[in-house]
């Protein structure tokens, strides 16, 4: 367990470095926004393209894995929804809290960290987790917000969701990579070197951007932040584990990867959604800050646990 903790510590150290740069003002909010754009649109996209271009669709798609992750995630989403409704939070805040409970920082933290810790063969399961989060749950919150705002479901929402997914660089890079892989040709050496070089910036850039963005986060409703962090860091991996081990049994390695992915802290894009809709952004901010701080320990514990039943 100590060995796993020491392996994850450098990742969180870079996050802490970014946090310190943001708190001291050395790295301004504007600089953080541009670094985030660079990672999101260029470095991380290059990394995902390179990974997916060297995989076949058969190596990525796993219906049982999708079912296990979807079941575990939906179960925790339901728990968070029920608790929020019992607290009379209304549909809009309930949707945001449920999103905090299940959407982890898979893109910026999960892809670079899990692939380095668990090996490049982890990219297939991690990509499926990322796809489910983006396609299913990110679409779900848009639908719920639109219904809450307009009082009805409008079919135009589906069109807007589709356009949004087509504009998401992570989705685009994975689709393009798998499309190239389907041709059966290896990436030309100059292109492979280019995406490898650019993708190498994703890990430090993403981690530093996470930390710098956390510097601007504040804590409101700390008891709610602790509850949502408990959902994300404990309940989410626990129910994904139940699904991956018993309900939809996966091979030990794949199960370990998606359980580890489920243990990641609340994603920053939930804050962007909350800010966009004007629904409890400070509450989401607190959940991101608290869950990221606690995950320094919990992520190590989860990875240490799954390493006991999978070959790393």
């Amino acid at each position: 367990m100590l060995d796993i903790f020491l392996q994850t510590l450098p990742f969180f150290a870079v996050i802490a470095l970014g946090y310190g740069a943001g708190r001291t003002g050395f790295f301004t909010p504007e600089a953080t926004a541009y670094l985030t754009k660079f990672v999101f649109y260029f470095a991380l996209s290059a990394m995902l393209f390179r990974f997916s271009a060297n995989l076949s669709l058969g190596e990525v798609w796993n219906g049982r894995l999708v079912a296990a992750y979807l079941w575990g995630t939906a179960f925790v989403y339901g728990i968070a929804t029920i608790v929020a409704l019992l607290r009379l939070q209304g549909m809009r805040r309930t949707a945001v809290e449920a999103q905090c409970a299940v959407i982890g920082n898979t893109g910026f933290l999960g892809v670079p960290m899990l692939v380095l810790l668990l090996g490049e063969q982890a990219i297939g399961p991690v990509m499926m987790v990322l796809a489910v989060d983006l396609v299913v749950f990110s679409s779900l919150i848009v639908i719920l917000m639109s219904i809450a705002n307009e009082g009805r479901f409008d079919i135009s929402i589906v069109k807007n969701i589709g356009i949004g997914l087509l504009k998401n660089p992570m989705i685009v890079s994975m689709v393009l990579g798998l499309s190239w892989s389907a041709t059966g040709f290896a990436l030309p050496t100059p292109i492979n070197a280019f995406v490898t070089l650019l993708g190498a910036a994703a890990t430090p850039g993403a981690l530093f951007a996470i930390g710098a963005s956390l510097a601007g986060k504040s804590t409101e409703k700390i008891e709610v932040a602790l509850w949502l962090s408990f959902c994300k860091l404990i309940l989410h991996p626990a129910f994904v584990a139940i699904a991956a081990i018993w309900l939809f049994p996966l091979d030990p390695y794949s199960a370990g990867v998606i359980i580890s992915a489920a243990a990641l802290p609340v994603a920053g894009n939930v804050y962007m959604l909350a800010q966009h809709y004007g629904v409890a952004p400070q509450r989401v901010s607190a959940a991101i800050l608290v869950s990221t701080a606690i995950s320094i320990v919990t992520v190590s514990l989860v990875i240490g646990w799954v390493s006991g039943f999978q070959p790393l």
Side-chain angles (χ1 to χ4, degrees):
M1 190 63 67
L2 178 61
D3 183 56
I4 296 294
F5 176 74
L6 292 176
Q7 289 182 59
T8 60
L9 196 57
F11 293 89
F12 289 102
V14 177
I15 293 176
L17 185 65
Y19 181 81
R23 289 293 290 181
T24 59
F26 183 79
F27 222 70
T28 64
E30 185 181 25
T32 301
Y34 280 110
L35 176 60
T36 301
K37 281 186 178 181
F38 165 72
V39 173
F40 187 58
Y41 286 98
F42 298 100
L44 186 58
S45 295
M47 175 185 279
L48 288 171
F49 174 79
R50 181 175 70 86
F51 284 149
S52 54
N54 289 290
L55 293 171
S56 66
L57 184 60
E59 292 176 286
V60 176
W61 172 255
N62 184 329
R64 191 178 289 271
L65 183 150
V66 171
Y69 182 75
L70 193 56
W71 184 92
T73 304
F75 203 99
V76 178
Y77 192 98
I79 292 173
T81 297
I82 292 170
V83 170
L85 290 175
L86 289 174
R87 291 170 31 240
L88 305 177
Q89 294 301 296
M91 181 180 288
R92 284 155 54 88
R93 284 190 177 181
T94 295
V96 167
E97 287 194 9
Q99 199 80 355
C100 284
V102 299
I103 301 301
N105 209 335
T106 309
F108 273 38
L109 180 59
V111 171
M113 184 171 73
L114 296 181
V115 170
L116 281 176
L117 289 178
L118 304 179
E120 286 208 2
Q121 63 269 39
I123 189 59
V126 172
M127 283 172 58
M128 288 310 307
V129 166
L130 187 58
V132 171
D133 284 347
L134 291 172
V135 175
V136 178
F137 293 98
S138 292
S139 301
L140 180 58
I141 191 172
V142 173
I143 292 171
L144 292 175
M145 285 297 183
S146 298
I147 292 174
N149 290 337
E150 301 174 18
R152 63 187 177 86
F153 176 77
D154 191 329
I155 193 65
S156 64
I157 298 171
V158 177
K159 177 184 176 182
N160 292 334
I161 290 171
I163 293 172
L165 290 174
L166 290 175
K167 290 182 177 179
N168 188 301
M170 290 190 287
I171 292 288
V172 172
S173 59
M174 288 190 287
V175 170
L176 289 177
L178 290 172
S179 298
W180 180 272
S181 174
T183 67
F185 294 106
L187 281 174
T189 300
I191 295 177
N192 188 61
F194 169 72
V195 293
T196 299
L197 179 64
L198 185 57
T203 300
L207 297 174
F208 193 93
I210 291 171
S213 65
L214 287 175
K217 301 289 188 289
S218 59
T219 55
E220 177 198 79
K221 298 281 186 181
I222 190 66
E223 67 280 2
V224 176
L226 288 170
W227 158 245
L228 295 176
S229 297
F230 175 75
C231 288
K232 185 67 203 70
L233 302 177
I234 306 299
L235 294 185
H236 193 199
F239 281 99
V240 169
I242 289 170
I245 296 172
W246 291 292
L247 299 181
F248 307 92
L250 298 172
D251 64 276
Y253 182 80
S254 297
V257 173
I258 66 169
I259 293 167
S260 299
L264 296 170
V266 180
N269 63 359
V270 182
Y271 175 77
M272 289 186 282
L273 283 168
Q275 199 170 42
H276 173 74
Y277 289 109
V279 181
Q282 296 302 104
R283 188 173 305 185
V284 176
S285 172
I288 294 171
L289 186 61
V290 171
S291 65
T292 302
I294 298 174
S295 70
I296 297 173
V297 175
T298 57
V299 167
S300 299
L301 290 173
V302 170
I303 294 177
W305 173 58
V306 301
S307 69
F309 60 85
Q310 69 169 356
L312 290 182

